Amino acid sequence: NISYLFHSGSRSSKTFKPKKNIPEGSHQYELLKHAEATLGSGNLRMAVMLPEGEDLNEWVAVNTVDFFNQINMLYGTITDFCTEESCPVMSAGPKYEYHWADGTNIKKPIKCSAPKYIDYLMTWVQDQLDDETLFPSKIGVPFPKNFMSVAKTILKRLFRVYAHIYHQHFDPVIQLQEEAHLNTSFKHFIFFVQEFNLIDRRELAPLQELIEKLTSKDR
C-alpha cells in the first residue's frame, strides 16, 4: 500500500517547511518514481536496494530528499503539540537529550526546546538539499567527494525527529490516525539506512526496541 506517500488528511497536508521538489523529467525524478513503484509492492527490503546500474550517491540523494519531505509532513501534523511548554528540551525519552550545533553558525552545542531544535535541524537540512554543489540536480554534474558523509549527517539528524515524535508525541499521532503512516515511513527509513549502513547503531539506540519490532517480521 503506497498511499502513505501521498497521504493528505485534513491536517496532515500542513507541511512544516516547504517541500523539496525533485525536478520532473530529471533522472532523479525517474528514480523517485522507481522507489515509489517498488514501495507499492509492499516489500520494503527490496524497495530500498540500489536499482541495477544506478549510482549509489544519486540513489541516496533521492531517498534523502524523500525522507526529508516525509518527516516534514509527519512533524507538521503534530506541531500544535510540540511547544516550548510541552517540550522545553529536545529529547527522545528520559535517557536521550539533543543539543543543537551545525558546525558553522552554531559551533558550540546549545540546549534548546524541541520545536526550536527541529526548526534549526530542518532548516539546516533544507540548506544542504538546496546546495547544488552537494545535491546536484543537473545531469552529469558529479557528486562531491564528501557527499556520503554529509548524507549520513542529514539522516542521523532526521532520525532524531522520528525519535522525538515517537517518544514525546505518540498519543496525538494515534488520535490523528497517523500511526500507520508514521510506522511505514519510519520502517522504510530504517531499512534504507540499514541497507547502506548510513547511521551508527549507537545513534539508533532511542528507538532500538521499536526498530527490532518493526524489522523482525521482514528478515
Side-chain angles (χ1 to χ4, degrees):
N1 172 5
I2 192 183
S3 64
Y4 85 93
L5 277 172
F6 308 107
H7 181 94
S8 57
S10 55
R11 298 195 42 231
S12 51
S13 52
K14 180 174 106 182
T15 334
F16 167 60
K17 297 248 171 247
K19 195 164 180 284
K20 166 82 180 162
N21 286 318
I22 290 175
E24 263 187 75
S26 67
H27 183 62
Q28 293 186 6
Y29 189 78
E30 297 306 310
L31 275 180
L32 182 64
K33 287 282 158 265
H34 170 88
E36 286 170 0
T38 48
L39 278 173
S41 73
N43 184 337
L44 284 169
R45 285 261 181 247
M46 289 283 292
V48 297
M49 288 177 182
L50 180 66
E52 208 174 325
E54 293 297 345
D55 174 49
L56 179 60
N57 285 343
E58 195 154 35
W59 183 236
V60 169
V62 165
N63 282 277
T64 300
V65 170
D66 193 36
F67 288 127
F68 169 77
N69 287 335
Q70 288 183 40
I71 293 166
N72 204 351
M73 194 158 81
L74 287 161
Y75 183 69
T77 64
I78 56 103
T79 47
D80 297 351
F81 304 93
C82 187
T83 63
E84 301 282 327
E85 294 72 44
S86 71
C87 305
V89 294
M90 173 63 180
S91 65
K95 292 208 294 263
Y96 300 96
E97 188 179 304
Y98 299 112
H99 297 174
W100 178 253
D102 58 16
T104 45
N105 299 325
I106 300 173
K107 291 195 169 68
K108 196 170 180 288
I110 56 168
K111 193 170 177 165
C112 55
S113 69
K116 191 86 194 122
Y117 185 100
I118 293 171
D119 190 32
Y120 278 134
L121 186 157
M122 297 299 269
T123 303
W124 176 83
V125 172
Q126 206 172 11
D127 289 345
Q128 311 306 303
L129 300 182
D130 288 339
D131 182 345
E132 279 287 327
T133 63
L134 274 179
F135 279 79
S137 58
K138 297 181 180 58
I139 302 279
V141 177
F143 282 84
K145 292 213 172 11
N146 66 334
F147 173 75
M148 270 304 167
S149 68
V150 173
K152 284 177 178 177
T153 305
I154 291 172
L155 293 164
K156 174 180 81 176
R157 289 177 172 172
L158 288 174
F159 168 82
R160 294 170 181 179
V161 186
Y162 280 120
H164 180 72
I165 294 172
Y166 272 112
H167 276 285
Q168 310 302 131
H169 302 294
F170 200 58
D171 288 345
V173 167
I174 292 169
Q175 284 158 23
L176 295 162
Q177 298 179 320
E178 290 281 342
E179 185 184 358
H181 179 197
L182 174 65
N183 285 345
T184 309
S185 174
F186 181 63
K187 190 170 166 180
H188 179 199
F189 178 89
I190 286 302
F191 280 9
F192 190 81
V193 299
Q194 286 177 343
E195 175 73 13
F196 303 106
N197 204 9
L198 298 168
I199 301 183
D200 196 302
R201 272 186 71 90
R202 282 175 320 215
E203 284 286 337
L204 300 173
L207 293 179
Q208 197 50 50
E209 280 174 37
L210 175 68
I211 291 168
E212 278 161 24
K213 197 173 101 183
L214 288 176
T215 57
S216 63
K217 295 191 284 292
D218 294 271
R219 289 246 151 72

